Amino acid sequence: NNVHDTKLLADRIEAIKETGAEEIYLDGGYYSEDTLNKAEEEEITLNFTNMTGTAPNPDKLPITDFEIEDNVIKSCPMGKKPVVSYHDAETGKITAHFDLRECRKCEHHENCPSRKGRKSGIVVITPKALAAAQTRKSIKENRKLNTSKRAAIEGTNSALKRTGANELRVRTLIKTRIVFGLKVISRNIRYFAGDFRRKRRRGSSVQKQA
């Protein structure tokens, strides 16, 4: 590729939607705020196995632990309600002010993502930070499933490469599509034929035992 994976996905998301796809399983190289927004517009769920970029400080409370509803923060991870919370429609930022006296009593006072002001504990959450935090939470909760789904298609690609897909002996788009399509058909036939043989072997062994 001569462009970044994120641009490839963003440019192709509409065409992918036309195939009827509702979910896509991806590695961390495809993650970006733009790809998330494009996928949301097309009502496609992106499932990542990892993420690029700097990982958040593990000693800090994640912003996903804050209760957020209708673009306002309803409560902090300890259940304390803010004095005030508001949303900036232009930037998308969500801001909340908490009673500083209550914040100082909290056991998570030192590792809270809030900024300590003169009179309040201030929490500011940007759309980019929230999207990243939600994605990291989803990866952690669904890592096994997402990895197994992504590995399946990569195994198929590997099988096609072993049958010559790496170096096709034809040129032009139409010829390439025909040859590659035949390779896919061949792999499907080999899979179902192999599965049929396995079933026959299992059946014959049961008959011999009987």
Side-chain angles (χ1 to χ4, degrees), residues 89-148:
E90 185 175 345
T91 64
K93 289 182 180 179
I94 301 172
T95 305
H97 293 257
F98 291 86
D99 188 330
L100 190 57
R101 292 169 298 179
E102 292 292 331
C103 288
R104 285 172 177 161
K105 298 176 187 176
C106 180
E107 60 182 289
H108 295 292
H109 177 64
E110 296 301 325
N111 63 336
C112 179
S114 63
R115 184 177 76 252
K116 309 306 182 287
R118 293 180 62 184
K119 297 182 179 180
S120 62
I122 306 166
V123 176
V124 179
I125 301 177
T126 65
K128 184 176 181 179
L130 182 59
Q134 290 172 336
T135 302
R136 289 188 189 281
K137 183 179 180 181
S138 175
I139 290 171
K140 185 177 180 180
E141 293 174 348
N142 303 293
R143 185 179 297 278
K144 186 174 181 180
L145 174 63
N146 292 354
T147 302
S148 66

Side-chain angles (χ1 to χ4, degrees), residues 28-94:
Y30 288 92
Y31 176 83
S32 76
E33 189 178 5
D34 188 34
T35 56
L36 287 177
N37 292 337
K38 291 275 188 181
E40 187 177 356
E41 290 174 9
E42 299 298 334
E43 299 182 336
I44 291 178
T45 302
L46 301 183
N47 301 288
F48 296 91
T49 57
N50 210 331
M51 277 183 67
T52 54
T54 305
N57 186 343
D59 295 329
K60 290 282 187 181
L61 288 174
I63 58 177
T64 48
D65 283 359
F66 286 79
E67 183 185 352
I68 302 172
E69 185 179 323
D70 296 329
N71 289 324
V72 295
I73 296 175
K74 296 293 186 179
S75 66
C76 75
M78 301 307 292
K80 299 294 182 181
K81 297 185 182 300
V83 177
V84 63
S85 179
Y86 49 90
H87 174 247
D88 187 327
E90 185 175 345
T91 64
K93 289 182 180 179
I94 301 172

